[in-house]
Amino acid sequence: MDNFLYVIMVGLPARGKSTLAWKLYESLKRDGVKVKIFNNGYLRRKLNKENTSYPEFFNPANKQSAALRERYALLNLQRAKKFIQQHFMKNRVAILDATNVSLERRKRIMSFLGYENLLFIECINNDQEIIEENIRLKARIPEFSHLSQEQSIYSLKKRINYYETIYTPLENERNFIKVDTFNYKILNYKVDNGLPFSERIRDFLVTPFINNLYLLRHTQSFFNLEDRLGGDAQLTSKGIQDAHRIAQYFAKKRLPLIFTSTLKRTVQMAKIIQQYQNNCSIISFDDFNEINAGIVEGMSYEEISKKMPEIDQARKHNKYYYVYPNGEGYVSMENRIERGIKKVIYLSKHIDNILIIGHRAVNRMILSYFVYKRQEDIPYIYIPIDGYYHIKINQNKKLFELKKFKF
Ligand code: F6P
């Protein structure tokens, strides 16, 4: 049987289309499929000598630029068709990565490629916080290097507004999947039985992909010295020294992004690691802040057991479900940790190495998101200061390894 498929990405800018296109590319390739991405933006930047990132270029009323964009779209369709024809009788997939939000554009695609071996994938994300963060990251790409950060953000937002005016969601197309790219969740699915690769693709869409995630705990803080809970202490001089050693250890790996909590000790460590990297940004989320110990914040475990033995006892009795008075428990951290992880995955796109610097309870929760653990065991997962967890996940494999720093 001649197995081939055109995948047509659909969605507004910053909704995770290109990340998903890459994810499909890598997964299909791993399955032995011949696969190629045809990206309209890439072609526009390559073939156009002038910088076309300014918003008016994307104004649908601007006839000249609209015609240019259609030309690039057509060129990619021709290239994709050629790719499919060239590899006749092989398992092959051409991924067309562009916004494709207007009905007219999609009609042109269907009339050029036919209706049958065509799958539209609409990427949806309505989470304003994550879209804003993604726009901030996008504003740093070379296309905007001639603009200030604010101008780039304005420009991207204006571009998105223009696309919104011509956006018609998928509805009557023959084969389509709508996916919530932030939650990697399928929202709607209408696909012919037996459409090549569609079952496999469905699996890719709902699987979080992580090439390499390094999960670290911050090095020694002043509170750690006295075994005190929570707080917002700085790193000790030993903590700073160890952070430099860890930074040297990771200097061999390219780290474009480091994620931290908003607490001083993780940010301080990230800044040290950043010194040993080129082009490395730090993104801090309060979703990754350490468990809030409420009325016992700042106390040591010993003090708690002496002054408030009932808290100590109750927590030991059922640590996962115990919630500190005026504070949190592991159980009540679930939602924010999950949200933090999803933000990391969304913003990391397809980069090779992701680094998270967290805290003891936070890192236990992050690990348990990826690796199944009984809830009652989660508060006892070992989270060393002199080691880290390495996590790799794709649809075929889950790797999770505790490594010690050697220095
Ligand atoms: O002691 C360091 C620390 O990160 C505290 O801030 C936090 O309350 C605690 O570890 C979490 O670990 P456990 O749940 O085992 O008390």
Side-chain angles (χ1 to χ4, degrees):
M1 208 168 80
D2 190 25
N3 254 346
F4 71 94
L5 182 70
Y6 293 103
V7 172
I8 318 290
M9 307 305 293
V10 174
L12 294 170
R15 265 48 178 197
K17 292 184 304 300
S18 296
T19 309
L20 197 58
W22 266 97
K23 181 167 154 178
L24 294 178
Y25 170 83
E26 285 182 3
S27 320
L28 288 162
K29 212 166 98 182
R30 211 174 285 127
D31 275 4
V33 177
K34 201 111 195 104
V35 52
K36 195 162 176 180
I37 298 178
F38 300 86
N39 179 300
N40 289 8
Y42 173 78
L43 210 59
R44 170 174 57 80
R45 287 186 288 272
K46 200 172 142 199
L47 299 184
N48 229 305
K49 294 280 166 290
E50 300 150 37
N51 187 309
T52 52
S53 64
Y54 59 96
E56 283 317 301
F57 189 81
F58 300 89
N59 182 350
N62 180 344
K63 295 269 177 309
Q64 218 182 344
S65 60
L68 252 182
R69 286 187 289 120
E70 280 315 308
R71 221 181 78 201
Y72 301 136
L74 180 65
L75 205 58
N76 260 339
L77 287 176
Q78 288 164 340
R79 290 180 177 188
K81 199 171 190 173
K82 198 164 157 207
F83 167 80
I84 293 292
Q85 285 165 348
Q86 258 173 359
H87 299 284
F88 182 61
M89 288 315 279
K90 289 196 182 132
N91 283 336
R92 60 220 192 271
V93 175
I95 303 172
L96 286 126
D97 183 14
T99 52
N100 301 322
V101 289
S102 77
L103 264 184
E104 291 68 33
R105 165 70 70 80
R106 295 204 293 268
K107 277 186 190 146
R108 269 194 289 276
I109 293 175
M110 289 185 277
S111 70
F112 192 86
L113 300 176
Y115 296 77
E116 286 185 1
N117 288 45
L118 206 68
L119 172 65
F120 288 99
I121 299 183
E122 182 174 350
C123 296
I124 297 169
N125 174 10
N126 295 321
D127 191 310
Q128 272 318 310
E129 184 198 351
I130 195 76
I131 292 170
E132 291 282 332
E133 193 70 58
N134 200 13
I135 290 175
R136 269 199 291 279
L137 276 181
K138 267 180 173 287
R140 293 186 202 154
I141 62 174
E143 190 172 9
F144 296 106
S145 57
H146 61 297
L147 300 177
S148 69
Q149 171 84 350
E150 289 84 64
Q151 288 168 328
S152 318
I153 291 175
Y154 169 81
S155 173
L156 264 164
K157 286 191 173 170
K158 188 95 186 120
R159 184 193 298 192
I160 294 175
N161 290 342
Y162 279 135
Y163 277 115
E164 274 165 345
T165 63
I166 53 162
Y167 188 1
T168 309
L170 297 173
E171 194 183 338
N172 296 315
E173 284 75 5
R174 177 159 167 177
N175 296 305
F176 69 78
I177 303 177
K178 291 183 188 239
V179 56
D180 172 343
T181 43
F182 181 60
N183 294 300
Y184 22 93
K185 202 164 131 191
I186 291 176
L187 301 172
N188 196 352
Y189 179 80
K190 179 174 141 304
V191 173
D192 287 347
N193 265 338
L195 183 73
F197 311 103
S198 58
E199 277 192 34
R200 196 72 177 122
I201 287 176
R202 235 174 6 177
D203 181 21
F204 301 149
L205 297 181
V206 296
T207 310
F209 272 46
I210 291 170
N211 286 337
N212 294 291
L213 168 64
Y214 302 101
L215 181 63
L216 275 67
R217 187 178 169 192
H218 62 82
T219 47
Q220 187 188 62
S221 74
F222 284 102
F223 263 34
N224 291 143
L225 263 184
E226 297 167 12
D227 215 12
R228 290 189 187 281
L229 271 58
D232 196 8
Q234 306 260 17
L235 298 180
T236 61
S237 58
K238 176 176 172 12
I240 292 174
Q241 226 175 49
D242 286 347
H244 277 279
R245 292 198 179 121
I246 292 170
Q248 277 160 10
Y249 179 92
F250 280 104
K252 285 170 253 136
K253 301 188 196 300
R254 162 114 187 80
L255 300 172
L257 295 175
I258 302 179
F259 296 92
T260 68
S261 71
T262 55
L263 299 171
K264 288 188 194 118
R265 50 200 189 274
T266 58
V267 179
Q268 203 182 348
M269 178 162 166
K271 285 188 175 156
I272 294 173
I273 297 179
Q274 190 183 38
Q275 290 169 25
Y276 294 74
Q277 295 280 330
N278 287 323
N279 277 328
C280 163
S281 304
I282 298 171
I283 303 183
S284 305
F285 297 137
D286 54 10
D287 308 83
F288 289 153
N289 283 358
E290 183 54 315
I291 188 169
N292 176 354
I295 59 169
V296 297
E297 272 275 312
M299 287 170 75
S300 70
Y301 288 102
E302 205 183 328
E303 269 171 349
I304 301 171
S305 69
K306 280 192 189 136
K307 294 185 188 155
M308 301 186 181
E310 63 293 349
I311 289 189
D312 185 44
Q313 284 310 311
R315 193 161 192 258
K316 279 183 180 144
H317 181 67
N318 192 353
K319 198 171 170 188
Y320 189 83
Y321 281 96
Y322 179 79
V323 177
Y324 284 113
N326 294 341
E328 291 179 296
Y330 280 84
V331 65
S332 50
M333 290 166 76
E334 277 172 13
N335 288 343
R336 67 171 171 97
I337 296 290
E338 180 175 342
R339 188 166 164 76
I341 294 170
K342 285 178 174 169
K343 286 186 197 171
V344 167
I345 293 177
Y346 192 85
L347 296 174
S348 303
K349 304 174 190 274
H350 56 273
I351 63 176
D352 259 352
N353 301 309
I354 308 171
L355 196 117
I356 301 180
I357 306 176
H359 304 264
R360 182 152 65 180
V362 164
N363 287 9
R364 285 174 177 151
M365 292 299 283
I366 294 177
L367 274 175
S368 69
Y369 180 85
F370 293 116
V371 185
Y372 175 74
K373 277 267 176 196
R374 287 181 310 182
Q375 284 180 330
E376 65 258 40
D377 297 335
I378 294 172
Y380 302 104
I381 300 175
Y382 178 52
I383 307 289
I385 276 190
D386 59 351
Y388 65 95
Y389 282 95
H390 178 198
I391 299 165
K392 272 170 107 73
I393 295 178
N394 62 48
Q395 79 284 5
N396 300 333
K397 177 162 81 181
K398 260 193 182 186
L399 180 138
F400 136 96
E401 195 178 357
L402 171 61
K403 290 193 167 169
K404 288 271 169 150
F405 294 117
K406 289 186 197 85
F407 47 69

